[in-house]
């Protein structure tokens, strides 16, 4: 009798699936060339991916997984209009697995990867769907060969998508405020004859830090400006700081903490390890045959020019030009700065940074600084260089 009971218990436990992960949440963000769909999962999951046609769809089988009670409702209520998705269906698959089918409006190439917990997020399964005929953003207008070209300024709004950046004391997060400042910066730069600004991120989606460098180098940009906003434990901290790259050498404890925080973006915003390695390799190859020192000198000149203009319209930190090991500044051949436009943890500075008029003044001052830097030694072959030679 005892043996029979034991046998019964064993066969029951074999028949019952031991679920290892629950799917709990869903987010999606449309970028110009790709749609990112993120599923929150309670633990690391293994999965199979199937790409199917007629109609185009991607099926993902999550092994020994199950949806959390509320997840089916989350799926039903998700509004996929304005995205490349028609919808997501799901069903229990076999005895142990959970299948999600992403119905697409057109054929797309999926890249699926998992992310470990970072920032406010737990384990995640990420599905990046890329358009098959992908327009490689950003693009600059074609100029006839031989004609003088525009000076190209890459404008990078920090963070985006799953990475909100600094939360601060108000409703607006860093990613929203800096995108708004970056758009104003773009307008002011484009208003200068012979200048063209190109936005690295145009909406609320995440781009890997190294990818931002690659996008600027591909233009190719003459200047790279990354726009951010600060946070500090002390509510009194305020003022603007402009950073250039420091890879070696002593930086203060505070600066190192800030750089670690900003560099953490890739973990929170979500970059697959394969992408990260590939981008690291590309940059390592470029670094081999580049004069890093020359670019460092140029970056410091750019930083100094921007500091002097911004100081006319806004409050600077006591030491407004600093070096820090920010990944996004690691371009070996494009003069690069990162502007921390102020502290979102300071009440009066938050109010200013969230205000359109202040954003406008700041953007205009940064533009003047960039213009001063370019005019000191205009890139050869540009309209600005030609106008200077003629005058
Ligand atoms: Zn930031």
């Amino acid at each position: 009798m005892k043996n029979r009971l034991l046998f019964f218990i064993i066969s029951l436990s074999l028949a019952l699936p031991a679920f290892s992960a629950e799917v709990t949440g869903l987010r999606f963000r449309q970028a110009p060339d790709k749609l990112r769909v993120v599923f929150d999962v309670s633990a690391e999951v293994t999965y199979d991916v199937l790409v199917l046609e007629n109609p185009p769809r991607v099926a993902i089988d999550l092994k020994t997984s199950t949806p959390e009670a509320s997840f089916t409702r989350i799926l039903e209520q998700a509004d996929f209009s304005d995205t490349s998705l028609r919808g997501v269906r799901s069903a229990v698959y076999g005895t142990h697995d959970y299948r999600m089918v992403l119905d697409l409006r057109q054929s797309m190439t999926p890249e699926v990867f998992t992310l470990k917990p970072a920032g406010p997020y737990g384990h995640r399964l990420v599905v990046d769907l890329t358009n098959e005929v992908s327009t490689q953003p950003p693009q600059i207008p074609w100029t006839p060969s031989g004609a003088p070209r525009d000076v190209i300024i890459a404008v990078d709004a920090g963070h985006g998508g799953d990475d909100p950046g600094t939360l601060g004391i108000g409703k607006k997060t860093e990613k929203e405020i800096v995108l708004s400042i970056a758009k104003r910066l773009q307008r002011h730069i484009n208003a200068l004859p012979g200048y063209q600004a190109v936005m690295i991120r145009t909406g609320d989606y995440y781009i890997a830090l190294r990818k931002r460098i690659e996008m600027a180098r591909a233009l190719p940009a003459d200047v790279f400006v990354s726009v951010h906003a600060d946070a500090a434990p002390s509510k009194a901290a305020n003022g603007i700081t402009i950073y250039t790259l420091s890879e070696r050498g002593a930086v203060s404890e505070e600066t190192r903490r800030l750089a670690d925080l900003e560099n953490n973006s890739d973990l929170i915003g979500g970059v697959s390890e394969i992408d990260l390695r590939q981008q690291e390799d590309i940059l390592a190859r470029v670094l081999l045959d580049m004069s890093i020192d020359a670019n460092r000198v140029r970056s410091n000149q750019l930083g100094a020019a921007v500091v002097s203009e911004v100081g006319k319209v806004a409050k600077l930190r006591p030491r407004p030009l600093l070096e820090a090991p920010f990944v996004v500044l690691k371009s070996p051949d494009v003069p690069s700065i990162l502007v921390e436009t102020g502290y979102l943890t300071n009440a009066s500075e938050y109010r200013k940074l969230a205000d359109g008029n202040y954003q406008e003044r700041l953007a205009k001052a940064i533009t003047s600084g960039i213009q001063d830097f370019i005019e000191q030694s205009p890139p050869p072959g540009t309209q600005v260089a030609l106008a200077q030679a003629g005058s």
Side-chain angles (χ1 to χ4, degrees):
M1 183 64 203
K2 210 176 165 191
N3 272 350
R4 223 189 261 173
L5 183 67
L6 193 65
F7 176 76
F8 177 73
I9 290 169
I10 289 170
S11 47
L12 191 71
S13 68
L14 283 176
L16 276 177
F19 291 115
S20 56
E22 273 192 332
V23 189
T24 58
L26 162 80
R27 290 182 297 284
F28 47 92
R29 286 197 176 85
Q30 184 72 55
D33 64 334
K34 87 182 173 189
L35 171 72
R36 166 165 289 192
V37 188
V38 182
F39 297 98
D40 293 307
V41 284
S42 62
E44 196 156 6
V45 283
T46 49
Y47 53 86
D48 287 333
V49 182
L50 267 98
V51 182
L52 302 149
E53 287 300 328
N54 300 318
R57 59 205 190 277
V58 174
I60 298 161
D61 292 335
L62 299 176
K63 302 293 168 191
T64 61
S65 298
T66 180
E68 198 187 56
S70 61
F71 183 71
T72 4
R73 206 183 57 243
I74 292 175
L75 268 191
E76 277 164 19
Q77 288 174 351
D79 177 12
F80 293 106
S81 49
D82 302 328
T83 76
S84 320
L85 274 188
R86 267 183 221 288
V88 180
R89 293 172 282 141
S90 73
V92 173
Y93 189 66
T95 47
H96 291 62
D97 302 344
Y98 181 52
R99 169 171 282 193
M100 293 189 290
V101 180
L102 284 65
D103 289 308
L104 312 174
R105 294 185 200 277
Q106 63 186 91
S107 295
M108 297 180 99
T109 315
E111 187 194 355
V112 184
F113 56 93
T114 55
L115 289 170
K116 294 198 163 56
Y121 306 105
H123 285 280
R124 289 164 284 171
L125 176 84
V126 180
V127 185
D128 279 343
L129 295 156
T130 313
N131 297 341
E132 267 167 11
V133 232
S134 164
T135 50
Q136 194 64 9
Q139 286 189 320
I140 47 171
W142 177 81
T143 21
S145 61
R149 66 171 181 89
D150 283 343
V151 170
I152 306 297
I153 313 295
V155 178
D156 173 46
H159 311 277
D162 265 3
D163 173 23
T166 287
L167 298 177
I169 54 156
K171 233 173 66 196
K172 286 188 181 155
T173 60
E174 180 184 355
K175 69 171 179 180
E176 297 167 73
I177 287 175
V178 297
L179 181 62
S180 172
I181 297 172
K183 282 180 176 167
R184 292 171 195 275
L185 187 54
Q186 180 194 32
R187 278 201 295 277
H188 283 291
I189 292 167
N190 284 341
L192 299 174
Y195 286 73
Q196 173 92 43
V198 181
M199 299 281 282
I200 295 295
R201 116 173 137 83
T202 54
D204 186 18
Y205 51 89
Y206 188 74
I207 303 173
L209 296 174
R210 288 159 185 81
K211 173 85 179 164
R212 295 176 197 232
I213 300 174
E214 274 314 299
M215 287 167 84
R217 295 190 64 242
L219 287 168
D222 298 293
V223 160
F224 177 88
V225 186
S226 191
V227 185
H228 286 255
D230 239 322
S234 158
K235 288 190 169 30
N238 69 95
I240 296 176
T241 322
I242 290 166
Y243 289 93
T244 57
L245 179 67
S246 138
E247 287 209 74
R248 325 174 270 266
V251 295
S252 73
E253 186 69 12
E254 190 196 344
T255 304
R256 164 130 349 244
R257 219 179 11 248
L258 175 67
D260 286 348
L261 203 71
E262 297 288 13
N263 294 343
N264 225 4
S265 274
D266 277 348
L267 298 176
I268 300 168
V271 180
S272 78
E273 274 171 37
I274 296 168
D275 276 2
L276 210 58
R277 263 200 306 277
Q278 269 173 3
Q279 286 156 10
E280 198 81 78
D281 286 352
I282 293 169
L283 282 184
R285 268 202 304 280
V286 181
L287 278 165
L288 281 177
D289 42 48
M290 276 292 160
S291 160
I292 310 303
D293 282 343
N295 200 53
R296 175 167 301 175
V297 170
R298 298 277 291 151
S299 298
N300 282 325
Q301 287 168 347
L302 170 64
V306 173
V307 160
S308 119
E309 288 299 323
V310 166
K312 294 175 187 170
V313 302
K315 184 166 179 299
L316 298 172
R317 296 269 288 160
R319 291 181 60 206
L321 187 59
L322 289 175
E323 293 189 347
F326 289 119
V327 168
V328 81
L329 295 179
K330 284 192 174 175
S331 183
D333 47 1
V334 184
S336 304
I337 54 168
L338 187 146
V339 185
E340 291 282 359
T341 53
Y343 287 78
L344 299 183
T345 40
N346 177 285
S348 81
E349 206 152 56
Y350 172 84
R351 268 198 303 279
K352 284 198 282 182
L353 284 166
D355 173 61
N357 290 323
Y358 182 78
Q359 291 181 353
E360 196 65 19
R361 278 206 299 282
L362 207 54
K364 208 171 167 189
I366 297 171
T367 304
S368 302
I370 293 170
Q371 190 182 15
D372 291 348
F373 166 74
I374 290 293
E375 286 180 354
Q376 283 167 26
S377 59
T382 58
Q383 288 181 45
V384 180
L386 210 71
Q388 257 189 20
S391 64

